[in-house]
Amino acid sequence: MKMPAILAFDVFGTVVDWHGSIRREAEAMMPGIDGSAFANAWRAGYKPAMAQVSSGQLGWTRIDDLHRGILDRILPEFGRELAPAQREQLNLAWHRLAPWPDAVDGLAQLKSRFTIVTLSNGNLSLLANMAKHAKLPWDLILSAEVFRHYKPDPEAYLGVAGVFGVQPEDVMLVATHEDDLEAAQRCGLQTAYVHRPAEYGPQPKAVGDLARFDIVAADFIDLHDRLRSR
Amino acid sequence: MKMPAILAFDVFGTVVDWHGSIRREAEAMMPGIDGSAFANAWRAGYKPAMAQVSSGQLGWTRIDDLHRGILDRILPEFGRELAPAQREQLNLAWHRLAPWPDAVDGLAQLKSRFTIVTLSNGNLSLLANMAKHAKLPWDLILSAEVFRHYKPDPEAYLGVAGVFGVQPEDVMLVATHEDDLEAAQRCGLQTAYVHRPAEYGPQPKAVGDLARFDIVAADFIDLHDRLRSR
């Protein structure tokens, strides 16, 4: 198989540990809350909110605003009240997510051989603040915001190839989400699944048949080794 | 005056020495050519080409393609012929422009206190390849390509504030071009003029009254010092 020129990374869950970071910030702001359940509830509202945008039911809306709407909805479900300034501070926790332990070193290794970019549904300022905070060495931050289409719309995946003027097969999507990789595959991109078993907390997440992806890697260091040995 | 949160940098001429880089690559590929005149002729075609896009005469076209069109036009004017592959290689010289000597260290200093982004008419892949090649430590690469409007259209300047959800005055444009800074000022951005006297070659470029800009700096190190002492 042809070596890709561009590695495009899903971010939430693949590069950064949203569950652990949101849990910690929620528990710090709201003592006694079940931070793990809160993080998962917040994240669970994400796909339905994006689907409203993709279907045209909702105009183009940034993840920051979608996150805030979900937060406002779930706080009462957890029996909590927060002042607007506190809600805003908590909402920005998504700009401060911590990388998985291998992520920064792994990206630095991969950057020496490939162009490494984000392909995230997160908005540009969220991704830029996250990269600054976590020292993520992206060559280019690409977002659904640039293409005005959320993944899994084809425009997002094909947009990466378009920006670089290459064929879809010259781009490899790196993600820990099978549905994201499947959508990329349908657009002709290469695919790498990365295991992030603790994405939703200590209970390892269910995983399907991964043999349909071009590479399956334990983490970014392993991804680098597997790409080198192809 | 309020301290800006975001510094948005013009790139060609302000961060990188397009004249010296293009001259060197042109002379290496076409021995005996007047590389300085060639570089200036190539660059001179740039504003009229963008104006065709801004006026709607030409649909959205990336700088890579505008550069190629200008190159094809000026080669015969310099009495030269190049095969398509050579033209493509020379066209990509704009992706390999060398930074001014103070640029990388100055940006690193500024990055520790501000969010530093590009606001360039160069396309995203050009800016990403340039940053990778020259080790420019951008927090975020923004381009006319994101806003589908070339500077000096207001959409480009206001787009930076929009991406970060801040007011125009929270953004400072850093550039060595008075017309760029004037257009930013009309949009409510703060402005910093940086001296790059050798932008067009050894003959220092003409400069107007710079007192109308918020800061006038000798280079990026000086810009950092002046922002700190405000």
Side-chain angles (χ1 to χ4, degrees), chain B residues 8 10 14 151-152 157 172-194 210 212-216:
Chain B
D10 172 63
T14 301
K151 297 188 291 180
Y157 305 100
M172 173 175 275
L173 185 75
V174 181
T176 189
H177 305 124
E178 296 170 60
D179 52 354
D180 194 6
L181 293 167
E182 282 166 7
Q185 214 163 35
R186 283 194 295 272
C187 292
L189 277 69
Q190 297 192 56
T191 51
Y193 181 93
V194 176
L210 303 177
R212 64 198 190 280
F213 304 123
D214 299 304
I215 289 181
V216 178

Side-chain angles (χ1 to χ4, degrees), chain A residues 17-36 38-39 42 71 75 80 82 85-98 133:
Chain A
D17 172 17
W18 59 265
H19 180 275
S21 300
I22 296 297
R23 178 177 52 71
R24 278 190 297 278
E25 292 220 24
E27 291 176 351
M29 188 175 279
M30 301 176 286
I33 202 168
D34 179 346
S36 177
F38 186 82
W42 202 351
L71 175 62
L75 277 171
R80 301 287 174 153
L82 289 178
Q86 283 183 300
R87 292 179 188 220
E88 189 52 29
Q89 190 193 328
L90 188 56
N91 202 47
L92 290 177
W94 294 92
H95 292 222
R96 297 183 291 262
L97 301 178
H133 181 260

Side-chain angles (χ1 to χ4, degrees), chain A residues 118 122-132 136 138-143 145-146, chain B residues 6-9 11 107 111 114-120 124 127-128 131 136-143 146-147 159-165:
Chain A
T118 60
N123 41 289
L124 289 169
S125 64
L126 181 157
L127 295 168
N129 289 338
M130 177 195 289
K132 193 174 183 77
L136 303 173
W138 303 119
D139 287 312
L140 181 62
I141 289 174
L142 288 174
S143 156
E145 187 178 356
V146 172
Chain B
I6 317 284
L7 302 184
F9 289 77
V11 172
L107 290 175
K111 183 174 181 168
F114 302 94
T115 292
I116 60 167
V117 308
T118 60
L119 180 60
S120 170
L124 289 169
L127 295 168
L136 303 172
W138 303 119
D139 287 313
L140 182 61
I141 289 175
L142 287 174
S143 156
V146 171
F147 306 119
V160 179
V163 159
F164 285 95

Side-chain angles (χ1 to χ4, degrees), chain A residues 38-226:
Chain A
F38 186 82
N40 285 335
W42 202 351
R43 178 71 177 171
Y46 177 82
K47 279 196 184 179
M50 286 189 303
Q52 287 188 307
V53 174
S54 289
S55 70
Q57 193 180 341
L58 193 63
W60 179 257
T61 311
R62 289 183 192 159
I63 288 293
D64 275 348
D65 298 316
L66 297 178
H67 275 152
R68 178 59 191 269
I70 303 162
L71 175 62
D72 291 346
R73 181 168 55 71
I74 65 171
L75 277 171
E77 296 172 14
F78 281 79
R80 301 287 174 153
E81 288 182 13
L82 289 178
Q86 283 183 300
R87 292 179 188 220
E88 189 52 29
Q89 190 193 328
L90 188 56
N91 202 47
L92 290 177
W94 294 92
H95 292 222
R96 297 183 291 262
L97 301 178
W100 294 111
D102 57 283
V104 174
D105 288 350
L107 289 175
Q109 288 183 22
L110 290 161
K111 184 174 182 168
S112 69
R113 299 189 56 229
F114 303 94
T115 293
I116 60 168
V117 309
T118 60
L119 179 60
S120 170
N121 286 335
N123 41 289
L124 289 169
S125 64
L126 181 157
L127 295 168
N129 289 338
M130 177 195 289
K132 193 174 183 77
H133 181 260
K135 304 196 189 310
L136 303 173
W138 303 119
D139 287 312
L140 181 62
I141 289 174
L142 288 174
S143 156
E145 187 178 356
V146 172
F147 306 119
R148 287 289 195 272
H149 280 277
Y150 281 122
K151 296 188 291 181
D153 289 357
E155 288 85 350
Y157 305 100
L158 296 173
V160 179
V163 158
F164 285 94
V166 299
Q167 297 301 311
E169 72 200 61
D170 295 320
V171 181
M172 173 174 274
L173 185 74
V174 181
T176 189
H177 305 124
E178 294 170 61
D179 53 354
D180 194 6
L181 293 167
E182 281 166 9
Q185 214 162 35
R186 283 194 294 273
C187 292
L189 277 70
Q190 296 193 56
T191 51
Y193 181 93
V194 176
H195 281 289
R196 298 299 189 193
E199 180 178 3
Y200 299 95
Q203 180 75 18
K205 69 180 176 188
V207 175
D209 173 21
L210 303 177
R212 64 199 191 281
F213 304 124
D214 299 304
I215 289 182
V216 177
D219 58 25
F220 291 173
I221 307 289
D222 185 41
L223 174 62
H224 175 261
D225 293 345
R226 286 174 190 272

